Amino acid sequence: MLKQRGFTLIEVMVVVVILGILAAIIVPNVIGKDEQARISTTKSSLGSIGNALEMYRLDSHKYPTTQEGLDALVNKPASAKVWNGPYLKSLPSDAWDSPFQYVAPGRSGRKYDIYSFGPDGQEGGEGENADIYSD
């Protein structure tokens, strides 16, 4: 006599219920985190650009002008007497594939500002759509 092996309907239903409970716990914690990850990535890129600007300043004794922009970190500007670059391999984009903004001098007496327009791609904004500035 052959014994049939398999799962009973109750066992299958228990597994489905357990998977449903796990999905109900995990999915809300994962959804919506992609925007936070993009913001974190953008902040990290801002830090890398800031480091490259400091290396540029050590060589040139000044920061690039607003007109020279971040391109001065990749290509030698005409005004640079000393340039040991490139300080970056290429101009990075923010996590939304938009170029970073650079202004020198920056706001509130800062030497410069590097920032991203954020998820909405427009200047200003509030909450998650706020501009992201370097520290």
Side-chain angles (χ1 to χ4, degrees):
M1 197 182 258
L2 290 172
K3 252 185 163 177
Q4 290 189 355
R5 296 182 186 240
F7 296 106
T8 66
L9 181 60
I10 298 282
E11 291 170 329
V12 171
M13 287 177 56
V14 167
V15 169
V16 169
V17 168
I18 290 172
L19 290 175
I21 291 170
L22 288 173
I25 293 170
I26 293 171
V27 169
N29 291 326
V30 173
I31 292 179
K33 297 293 183 186
D34 59 333
E35 204 61 37
Q36 283 302 112
R38 288 180 183 199
I39 290 170
S40 294
T41 300
T42 298
K43 287 180 179 180
S44 177
S45 294
L46 286 169
S48 297
I49 296 169
N51 290 337
L53 281 167
E54 291 304 319
M55 290 182 352
Y56 179 95
R57 183 190 60 81
L58 288 172
D59 290 342
S60 301
H61 305 292
K62 67 178 188 75
Y63 293 104
T65 64
T66 300
Q67 291 75 27
E68 293 169 336
L70 296 175
D71 187 58
L73 301 174
V74 178
N75 301 302
K76 182 179 180 182
S79 67
K81 294 178 181 138
V82 177
W83 192 80
N84 295 321
Y87 301 95
L88 294 173
K89 291 181 181 179
S90 63
L91 287 177
S93 299
D94 65 14
W96 302 274
D97 291 327
S98 298
F100 284 102
Q101 308 300 309
Y102 172 78
V103 179
R107 60 196 161 96
S108 303
R110 294 173 51 108
K111 303 280 185 197
Y112 63 83
D113 276 329
I114 320 164
Y115 59 99
S116 163
F117 288 143
D120 64 355
Q122 298 178 7
E123 192 168 358
E126 296 179 9
E128 283 192 355
N129 287 328
D131 295 346
I132 303 167
Y133 281 85
S134 62
D135 291 335

